[in-house]
Amino acid sequence: MRRAGTNTNFVSVENDTRLFVRTYERGVEDETLACGTGAVASALVAAFKGWVKSPVSIKTRGGEILTVHFELEAAEVKRVFFEGDVRVIYEGEMWEEAYV
């Protein structure tokens, strides 16, 4: 079953190297505390708009600081590096018959 909807990021530019990002995620159907994909997308869009420059620190609703490093050349992204804390929040097990 395909679900309709979209992930949405609300971005506040604090200065030329810092953003505050809040994310609403489909599937969760609520605001999440952080979203790596949303953080990178927010940094790149803000850079293309001329609002920020690399590296960009992104404060999330969860209070974490994520950092996005990137290189822009004309209208192209050449490299993107993303850093932030990592924690295991869930472990699961998959049976072999689930692979098929």
Side-chain angles (χ1 to χ4, degrees):
M1 177 176 165
R2 187 165 191 261
R3 295 186 65 147
T6 187
N7 292 353
T8 304
N9 295 290
F10 300 90
V11 180
S12 173
V13 179
E14 294 186 359
N15 60 47
D16 67 347
T17 60
R18 188 169 176 100
L19 302 174
F20 178 68
V21 177
R22 295 178 67 173
T23 301
Y24 178 90
E25 291 195 54
R26 77 166 187 258
V28 177
E29 304 308 329
D30 203 353
E31 185 175 3
T32 57
L33 298 179
C35 174
T37 305
V40 171
S42 297
L44 293 176
V45 169
F48 277 116
K49 293 282 195 179
W51 299 336
V52 295
K53 59 185 178 184
S54 182
V56 179
S57 296
I58 298 170
K59 185 172 182 183
T60 66
R61 181 171 172 260
E64 296 175 275
I65 302 295
L66 306 174
T67 305
V68 180
H69 303 262
F70 53 87
E71 292 178 21
L72 300 180
E73 201 171 287
E76 287 186 44
V77 178
K78 292 296 183 179
R79 291 196 172 105
V80 178
F81 298 93
F82 174 67
E83 63 181 291
D85 291 338
V86 176
R87 282 175 260 149
V88 175
I89 59 168
Y90 181 80
E91 288 186 31
E93 194 172 311
M94 192 180 239
W95 294 290
E96 189 174 331
E97 51 268 12
Y99 300 150
V100 183

